[in-house]
Amino acid sequence: MSTDAEIQTRLIVGFEIHVQLATKTKLFCGCALGFGETPNSALCPVCMGLPGALPVLNRQAYDYSVLTGLALDCEIAEFTKWDRKSYYYPDLPKNYQTSQYDLPLASNGHFEIETKSGTRRIGILRAHLEEDAGKNLHDVPGCSLIDLNRAGTPLLEIVTQPEIHDPEEAYTFCTELQKLVTYLGVTHGIMQKGQMRFEPNINVAITTGGTEYRTPISEVKNLNSFRSVRSAIEYEFHRQVHDWKSDNGYLIKERPNENRGWDDDKGVTVFQRSKEGADDYRYFPDPDLVPVTVTQDWVNEVRLSLPELPAARIKRLTTDLKLTTEDAAAIVANRATADLFEAAIEAGGPATTLMKQYLNVWAKLANDQDASIAGLGVGHEAMASLAAMTEKGVVNATAANKIAEALIGSDKSPETLAEEMGLIAVLDEDQTEKWIDEAFAENADAVKDAVSSPKKAKKAAGFLRGQVMRISGGKANPKITGDLIEARLAELASEG
Amino acid sequence: MAEIDESLVRHVATLARLKPDDAEVASMTRELTRIVGYIDCLNELDTDSVEPMAHPLALRNVFRADEVRASISAEEAVGNAPERERTFFKVPKVLDTGGGA
Ligand SMILES: [Zn+2]
């Protein structure tokens, strides 16, 4: 990715991504997820690893995993089994993690992202299900406090091919993947809560004098923000090139691969441990869990719940409804919100006005409530009617704002609310003329400017229209008012 | 068949967090060699066309629905712990270099 006088470098990045699935319960027991505040309050003999407990697989976790595999164009394995990955750590009560070792449930997929240099297709090596460990707290001197509420939470681990060559591309990949899995509804995907954790494997190919050298691979553990993914990769690229320049023996297989952590405050990666030799986890099949066989019928059934994916949906909305890519992307970002939008279109909402209200009126109200537009609880029919009323001029834009706000938490129709709130625009010309009479009488100077001062005419006419709106209490129709004012001014001008 | 020697026994002991003394390592090496040697007779069979067995039972696809079942109380959960702090398990300090998920 850069050319020195004598060396060329190419960054190589692959990802391991842990996605916490949005099931109600743990992977192998019925303990609730969502973790109450009380430590160790969501435990049972299974997730505590007590002797004699019998784990049973959560079907929903498997379905979510198959769905994700399909969205990533993976092959879904017909047969998988469960393996024990043994290691000792206080947050791992059974002293092994239940995982899928040699038979992942999905493999050989890919995921396409749009980058500055065009569409990039990143290979997905595999995706498998496993359980999370508990949490360690180190805030008491000399000891660690263990909370096992998280132990047994279903994680889908997605492993990519090392096919990313730019920190910005890595950033895009991670953000788009997060959008995809939240769109599928398989995870809540909240980064701050650690529901998606990214671990890039990074090294650099350095070419000099016709020979290519590769630096040892470093794995940066548990990144939980997109920004830190990009920064850690940038940092590692420069560090590895620097380390190779000062020691030409800094090469894969000659120096150990290592695990590193990311220090967000200092903006550096920190050495954690070197991986001398392969880790010895002594995987073996779990005798407590029986294998899973997935039939074609099962896969087809899951495939039915595969929604139209964001990229395709954005494309369709821009083509069918003539929305800009930017507007379509804003709507599609949240699946429920996009569904609501399309239902409102289906119910007869005029696309352009609905779009404007969606991105201005509804988005603002949602933002005020810290909710999504769908989360406001206003139905698609009400949204469609309000847009239609606005388009027809039955209510004006300001009134539409007020009605939208009133619709939240109300079971009344926009028509009813408009009437009750006295916001129905007056289309009647005689009534409008009366308001104009009043406005003209009150603002003789502005009328004079509008008629005889070419410089000020436009502004004065706008001012007069505003006065009519004010006098009418917002009920005047702006278009009718404007037309009538214009006619009246023309008349006055011709009278001289 | 991997040969069971003392270094392998020490490696396995380390992984299992066991600290055998030299005499124990010597006797374990002898015993494990005999045990593994006995099982080794299975290698006389031609298993090329036999699928590896993932589970001794012919059962497949045992699932549960994603429904919450009552957990035990936090008090019960930590009740048998040698040391606790509020409802945390309290253990000697560990450095965060565990295997992780
Ligand atoms: Zn449990």
Side-chain angles (χ1 to χ4, degrees):
Chain A
M1 61 190 277
S2 73
T3 313
D4 239 38
E6 67 276 13
I7 69 164
Q8 284 183 315
T9 55
R10 188 167 57 104
L11 174 71
I12 305 169
V13 181
F15 275 100
E16 287 171 25
I17 303 127
H18 287 99
V19 180
Q20 182 183 316
L21 297 180
T23 52
K24 296 193 209 57
T25 64
K26 295 186 178 182
L27 186 52
F28 296 113
C29 64
C31 289
L33 294 178
F35 327 133
E37 278 72 61
T38 311
N40 295 309
S41 58
L43 299 183
C44 74
V46 171
C47 56
M48 290 177 79
L50 299 185
L54 193 63
V56 184
L57 177 61
N58 184 338
R59 165 83 189 234
Q60 183 67 67
Y62 209 93
D63 279 344
Y64 279 159
S65 303
V66 171
L67 183 66
T68 310
L70 290 173
L72 293 172
D73 260 333
C74 289
E75 294 158 22
I76 305 300
E78 287 172 24
F79 179 90
T80 59
K81 64 182 171 58
W82 302 95
D83 300 288
R84 293 183 175 185
K85 176 183 177 180
S86 299
Y87 64 92
Y88 288 84
Y89 207 66
D91 63 15
L92 190 72
K94 298 184 306 215
N95 298 333
Y96 62 82
Q97 178 194 31
T98 308
S99 182
Q100 297 178 319
Y101 178 51
D102 54 343
L103 299 174
L105 62 86
S107 58
N108 290 329
H110 59 83
F111 184 50
E112 281 182 357
I113 52 169
E114 297 302 326
T115 70
K116 272 175 284 176
S117 49
T119 304
R120 284 273 291 123
R121 175 181 274 218
I122 310 297
I124 304 294
L125 188 63
R126 59 182 281 169
H128 71 261
L129 250 180
E130 60 183 33
E131 54 179 353
D132 206 349
K135 281 183 180 167
N136 307 296
L137 285 91
H138 303 294
D139 49 3
V140 178
C143 39
S144 294
L145 301 180
I146 311 293
D147 175 10
L148 296 179
N149 282 348
R150 199 180 66 181
T153 299
L155 296 179
L156 183 66
E157 179 173 335
I158 300 168
V159 184
T160 77
Q161 300 282 7
E163 294 177 341
I164 294 169
H165 304 293
D166 177 275
E168 201 55 47
E169 208 169 273
Y171 181 90
T172 305
F173 175 81
C174 294
T175 51
E176 291 303 313
L177 186 71
Q178 190 256 3
K179 275 187 213 159
L180 176 77
V181 287
T182 50
Y183 214 75
L184 295 174
V186 301
T187 179
H188 299 304
I190 302 169
M191 303 286 287
Q192 302 88 296
K193 290 190 180 169
Q195 292 171 348
M196 282 189 81
R197 279 125 58 185
F198 295 88
E199 300 183 338
N201 282 269
I202 307 158
N203 72 339
V204 184
I206 300 169
T207 309
T208 180
T211 310
E212 187 190 88
Y213 302 93
R214 292 202 177 196
T215 53
I217 297 170
S218 64
E219 178 173 346
V220 185
K221 306 295 285 181
N222 279 335
L223 295 170
N224 63 2
S225 82
F226 300 121
R227 198 178 39 79
S228 64
V229 166
R230 180 171 52 198
S231 307
I233 292 171
E234 260 163 22
Y235 178 86
E236 270 301 293
F237 170 72
H238 293 294
R239 180 193 68 77
Q240 293 187 15
V241 173
H242 175 268
D243 284 7
W244 178 82
K245 281 182 178 169
S246 52
D247 166 14
N248 282 178
Y250 187 67
L251 294 173
I252 194 162
K253 294 196 176 103
E254 293 188 28
R255 299 282 189 280
N257 290 339
E258 52 191 54
N259 282 356
R260 299 180 76 91
W262 173 246
D263 183 329
D264 208 28
D265 295 330
K266 296 195 183 119
V268 300
T269 63
V270 184
F271 174 83
Q272 285 177 336
R273 70 185 175 105
S274 75
K275 301 208 251 188
E276 301 272 6
D279 288 316
D280 195 344
Y281 290 120
R282 291 149 294 148
Y283 283 98
F284 70 95
D286 191 320
D288 285 343
L289 288 160
V290 299
V292 178
T293 52
V294 179
T295 59
Q296 201 52 50
D297 283 352
W298 180 353
V299 173
N300 289 341
E301 195 183 307
V302 175
R303 201 187 293 275
L304 287 179
S305 61
L306 191 65
E308 182 183 24
L309 298 180
R313 196 168 196 180
I314 289 168
K315 210 169 205 179
R316 183 170 56 76
L317 289 181
T318 51
T319 314
D320 292 2
L321 300 176
K322 309 272 178 282
L323 304 184
T324 65
T325 306
E326 202 181 18
D327 288 346
I331 285 178
V332 167
N334 177 295
R335 182 172 157 191
T337 293
D339 289 347
L340 183 64
F341 178 79
E342 293 211 49
I345 294 279
E346 190 97 329
T352 311
T353 305
L354 189 62
M355 173 76 218
K356 274 191 202 145
Q357 291 185 339
Y358 228 64
L359 295 184
N360 300 319
V361 184
W362 296 115
K364 191 179 165 301
L365 291 169
N367 198 36
D368 290 347
Q369 300 210 2
D370 205 13
S372 66
I373 293 176
L376 290 171
V378 177
H380 61 275
E381 278 166 348
M383 287 186 172
S385 312
L386 183 60
M389 287 163 74
T390 314
E391 176 132 323
K392 283 185 206 132
V394 177
V395 294
N396 63 46
T398 329
N401 278 342
K402 291 181 190 158
I403 296 166
E405 197 169 349
L407 277 167
I408 299 170
S410 165
D411 51 13
K412 291 178 179 163
S413 70
E415 291 85 352
T416 311
L417 284 170
E419 263 170 48
E420 284 181 5
M421 295 164 79
L423 293 172
I424 299 282
V426 173
L427 303 173
D428 174 54
E429 296 196 0
D430 290 345
Q431 176 59 58
T432 310
E433 292 283 11
K434 280 180 197 156
W435 285 324
I436 295 174
D437 289 343
E438 213 175 310
F440 274 46
E442 279 175 19
N443 302 282
D445 288 349
V447 175
K448 211 172 123 205
D449 285 345
V451 177
S452 51
S453 165
K455 259 186 171 177
K456 296 180 185 168
K458 202 170 174 205
K459 200 174 163 200
F463 170 78
L464 287 168
R465 195 171 69 166
Q467 289 306 303
V468 173
M469 295 307 290
R470 181 185 60 80
I471 292 165
S472 73
K475 286 191 203 174
N477 176 284
K479 171 116 187 16
I480 292 172
T481 306
D483 291 348
L484 291 176
I485 289 177
E486 200 180 309
R488 180 97 59 110
L489 290 172
E491 204 173 304
L492 288 173
S494 70
E495 284 166 9
Chain B
M1 179 76 250
E3 195 192 333
I4 310 285
D5 58 15
E6 293 202 357
S7 80
L8 181 61
V9 170
R10 284 184 205 281
H11 174 63
V12 173
T14 306
L15 291 174
R17 302 294 187 271
L18 296 172
K19 290 177 185 158
D21 61 27
D22 289 352
E24 284 169 320
V25 169
S27 73
M28 281 178 191
T29 305
R30 272 195 311 278
E31 286 167 22
L32 284 170
T33 300
R34 275 212 303 280
I35 292 165
V36 174
Y38 173 68
I39 296 168
D40 220 21
C41 69
L42 290 174
N43 279 339
E44 291 166 18
L45 296 171
D46 178 6
T47 56
D48 281 356
S49 58
V50 179
E51 283 283 307
M53 184 176 70
H55 199 278
L57 300 179
L59 275 175
R60 299 286 182 266
N61 296 6
V62 177
F63 300 116
R64 36 173 275 275
D66 185 23
E67 286 161 7
V68 176
R69 289 178 60 173
S71 299
I72 62 174
S73 72
E75 272 306 316
E76 283 176 291
V78 298
N80 291 325
E83 280 203 81
R84 60 183 281 192
E85 170 128 352
R86 284 162 284 149
T87 60
F88 286 104
F89 295 99
K90 189 172 169 184
V91 301
K93 188 162 187 73
V94 282
L95 294 170
D96 225 339
T97 57

